[in-house]
Amino acid sequence: MKKILGVLSLVCFTTIIHAQDFKKVQASLLINQVDAAKAELEKVIAKKPALATTPEALYFKAKIYSALAKDAVKNPNAVNDEKAALDAYIESEDAKKGFPVAKENGSEPFFDLYLKNFKDGVASFNEKKYPAAGSQFEQAVYYSDIIFANGWSSSKHKFDTISKAIVIKLKLWYECQNLSSFPDVDPASCTDNVISAIEWNQIKNWPAHG
């Protein structure tokens, strides 16, 4: 029992110490000083490189690049940096605890990547770029699932206008049209009703809801 309490105390102490390291980053973001927050984060990592892979560093990096990505012309690679940081944060130990860092500081990066992938999926679908659309919608579902699992959205409908099942079916439908390019697809799964008429109507209505 003493061992367990000792480990828990060490974890709590480490978390508090890490939080202190990022206080200036947090403060800059609170007043929307994104460039200052980025500079402060870089200072922290330069001083203590081991902190670069902590949940706090990954989260704040994602949040900073989420803000920078709003100006795609000025910061064309920001969204890629945001995604890399957020995906790493999702895989961190913070996920097992219910994302306390995100809950304290805001879930904006999750919503931003969800919305971007959804809108990109709609655009790709309308341009008949089905593999890209399928991948983008899957990414939207990925972030949507985390958003809803943690109660960050007031909406009661996951992924708004489409379901994960339809996204998976859309990819299968495309693969069935191009079996030579997808040798792992079982032709037996390629029935005429891979996607039902009702589901096609939902797909066609995406632009109206995106």
Side-chain angles (χ1 to χ4, degrees):
M1 188 66 178
K2 286 183 178 179
K3 268 191 175 181
I4 294 172
L5 289 173
V7 171
L8 288 175
S9 298
L10 180 60
V11 169
C12 291
F13 178 74
T14 303
T15 301
I16 292 169
I17 292 298
H18 285 178
Q20 292 298 320
D21 285 315
F22 296 99
K23 278 295 182 185
K24 289 184 179 180
V25 179
Q26 186 182 42
S28 295
L29 286 171
L30 281 173
I31 57 174
N32 204 31
Q33 296 292 322
V34 181
D35 289 334
K38 182 173 179 289
E40 289 295 341
L41 180 61
E42 289 169 352
K43 284 180 190 175
V44 170
I45 302 305
K47 186 177 180 181
K48 299 181 180 179
L51 293 180
T53 56
T54 59
E56 293 83 0
L58 294 170
Y59 168 81
F60 284 120
K61 183 176 181 180
K63 186 160 184 175
I64 288 166
Y65 280 100
S66 174
L68 293 174
K70 298 288 192 297
D71 189 342
V73 175
K74 184 179 178 182
N75 306 298
N77 297 316
V79 70
N80 295 328
D81 291 326
E82 175 193 3
K83 176 175 169 49
L86 188 63
D87 287 351
Y89 172 64
I90 292 168
E91 294 297 320
S92 76
E93 61 193 39
D94 216 47
K96 299 174 186 175
K97 304 173 187 174
F99 299 109
V101 178
K103 286 179 178 176
E104 180 184 351
N105 296 282
S107 54
E108 295 90 344
F110 293 87
F111 279 93
D112 288 345
L113 286 177
Y114 155 63
L115 290 169
K116 174 174 172 48
N117 278 285
F118 179 82
K119 291 177 180 178
D120 288 350
V122 169
S124 294
F125 181 82
N126 288 334
E127 293 170 11
K128 301 187 186 299
K129 297 176 180 176
Y130 300 118
S135 177
Q136 288 152 345
F137 283 132
E138 278 191 315
Q139 283 290 294
V141 168
Y142 175 63
Y143 296 115
S144 171
D145 282 350
I146 295 171
I147 289 167
F148 281 92
N150 288 279
W152 294 335
S153 174
S154 58
S155 171
K156 295 180 180 178
H157 303 289
K158 288 188 179 183
F159 197 39
D160 299 337
T161 57
I162 69 172
S163 70
K164 185 182 293 187
I166 296 179
V167 173
I168 293 170
K169 285 185 176 183
L170 178 59
K171 284 195 77 178
L172 177 59
W173 174 83
Y174 178 81
E175 290 165 356
C176 286
Q177 314 307 308
N178 300 274
L179 283 173
S180 61
S181 299
F182 300 96
D184 293 333
V185 175
D186 181 4
S189 64
C190 296
T191 59
D192 291 339
N193 60 347
V194 166
I195 298 180
S196 70
I198 293 174
E199 289 168 337
W200 271 120
N201 284 333
Q202 283 185 268
I203 291 169
K204 289 172 184 175
N205 285 329
W206 282 340
H209 300 281

